[in-house]
Amino acid sequence: MKLTYGERSAMAVNSVGKALFQLMEEKKTNLCVAVDVTTAEELLRIAAETGPYICLFKTHVDAVENFTESTAKSLLEIAQKEKFIILEDRKFADIGKTVSLQYGGGPMKIVTWADLVTCHSISGENAIIGLKSASKDLPRGCFLVAEMSSEGNLITPSYTKATLEMAEMHPEFVVGLVTQSIMKETSCGLIQLTPGVRISSGSVHSIFATDGLGQRWSSPEDAVLTRGADIVVVGRGITEARYILHILCEKGHVDEAMVKKTEDY
Ligand code: BMP
């Protein structure tokens, strides 16, 4: 794909998708940080520290024990200051009506603060329609999960193909696809988001490590050059990077057990 992100921005239908392409072009970054943490304080600290370098900040707020409206407000302030887009990786997977309730209400009120969410295609296109109806007039969108990085996942090539077709049918709400391999046939207005990425010492090869729970990581080079990632999603490769943890440990922000844990990877 030879088009620049700026050129592809013009081809995106959804306004958040357009804005994301523009941010990537302006900030010269295609990094999404995956923030799988358990406290609001950690979440906000990582947002402030990574903010200048990322285009997308990916959360799992149902893992955050003290996430409140005030956390969401602070996160939005950091996002505005540092210019990044917020993706709640909720992976909605239910019927249209149910996802609209989960998205629009509940304790997390995701629609009020997350620019983007993720959604499985398993239940059919009404999940997208349900999300869209709950977003009312807010600028919102979703990534559809077309492939997964985890060992033993049940996604087949025909499921992936049908997911791409579903995305192409709803460009007004679907900004892109969560993928592991290049999707040559997808339109240039859709974004390929590739999780399961981290730097290993010297390796540019496919699948070099796992975490003992089925995650498969590949290198950024492999993700972008071979697997066609527009945006690479890096979680523990950043949040648990050894040298960062040593600094945080010295400052008293994390304890020694956390540093030791990463040394075991
Ligand atoms: P890490 O880089 O620490 O393995 O984190 C990966 C992140 O990407 C997690 O938040 C996970 O939920 C998400 N993810 C993934 O790892 N594989 C997928 O196929 C889809 C994901 O959203």
Side-chain angles (χ1 to χ4, degrees):
M1 209 174 273
K2 298 271 191 274
L3 298 170
T4 64
Y5 292 137
E7 285 162 342
R8 288 176 63 193
S9 167
M11 302 168 89
V13 177
N14 176 282
S15 64
V16 186
K18 271 184 191 299
L20 182 51
F21 272 129
Q22 278 161 14
L23 262 183
M24 291 159 77
E25 177 94 7
E26 277 164 30
K27 284 179 83 174
K28 303 276 177 260
T29 172
N30 66 345
L31 177 61
C32 166
V33 64
V35 188
D36 290 12
V37 295
T38 54
T39 67
E41 293 72 25
E42 271 182 285
L43 184 105
L44 296 175
R45 175 183 62 73
I46 296 170
E49 286 173 359
T50 60
Y53 312 104
I54 60 171
C55 57
L56 203 57
F57 186 81
K58 188 175 86 60
T59 57
H60 279 295
V61 287
D62 52 1
V64 177
E65 58 209 29
N66 55 344
F67 187 88
T68 61
E69 258 176 55
S70 140
T71 318
K73 191 166 168 273
S74 303
L75 180 59
L76 282 167
E77 281 166 10
I78 300 170
Q80 200 168 22
K81 175 166 177 266
E82 302 294 356
K83 293 197 172 71
F84 59 76
I85 282 170
I86 302 168
L87 166 64
E88 163 55 21
D89 192 4
R90 174 62 179 75
K91 295 193 183 70
F92 291 102
D94 217 313
I95 60 168
K97 176 65 185 170
T98 306
V99 300
S100 74
L101 296 174
Q102 293 169 317
Y103 181 39
M108 305 304 180
K109 297 188 180 49
I110 297 170
V111 76
T112 63
W113 53 269
D115 303 293
L116 297 170
V117 290
T118 50
C119 180
H120 282 295
S121 53
I122 185 82
S123 60
E125 65 172 350
N126 279 299
I128 303 168
I129 296 167
L131 291 176
K132 201 172 125 188
S133 73
S135 71
K136 304 208 170 76
D137 293 332
L138 291 167
R140 297 290 181 258
C142 77
F143 280 98
L144 278 189
V145 181
E147 290 176 328
M148 291 199 73
S149 62
S150 50
E151 209 175 272
N153 74 75
L154 302 179
I155 294 179
T156 60
S158 63
Y159 181 96
T160 301
K161 187 168 175 286
T163 305
L164 299 196
E165 285 163 9
M166 202 184 282
E168 300 285 357
M169 278 165 59
H170 293 279
E172 76 296 343
F173 199 76
V174 178
V175 302
L177 295 145
V178 177
T179 58
Q180 288 296 311
S181 58
I182 190 156
M183 303 279 137
K184 288 200 176 109
E185 61 286 9
T186 27
S187 75
C188 300
L190 292 173
I191 301 167
Q192 279 191 229
L193 181 73
T194 303
V197 178
R198 68 186 288 167
I199 292 172
S200 83
S201 40
S203 173
V204 291
H205 301 297
S206 183
I207 311 297
F208 60 80
T210 76
D211 62 356
L213 283 175
Q215 175 65 305
R216 295 178 299 182
W217 284 299
S218 58
S219 66
E221 290 88 344
D222 184 52
V224 173
L225 300 176
T226 315
R227 297 160 178 265
D230 293 314
I231 299 181
V232 292
V233 180
V234 183
R236 286 163 286 180
I238 292 173
T239 58
E240 295 184 6
R242 230 173 280 177
Y243 72 95
I244 293 179
L245 282 182
H246 278 295
I247 293 168
L248 292 173
C249 186
E250 272 168 29
K251 288 185 181 174
H253 294 316
V254 299
D255 59 23
E256 278 177 27
M258 178 72 159
V259 181
K260 173 79 189 68
K261 197 179 106 198
T262 60
E263 281 169 359
D264 297 337
Y265 284 148

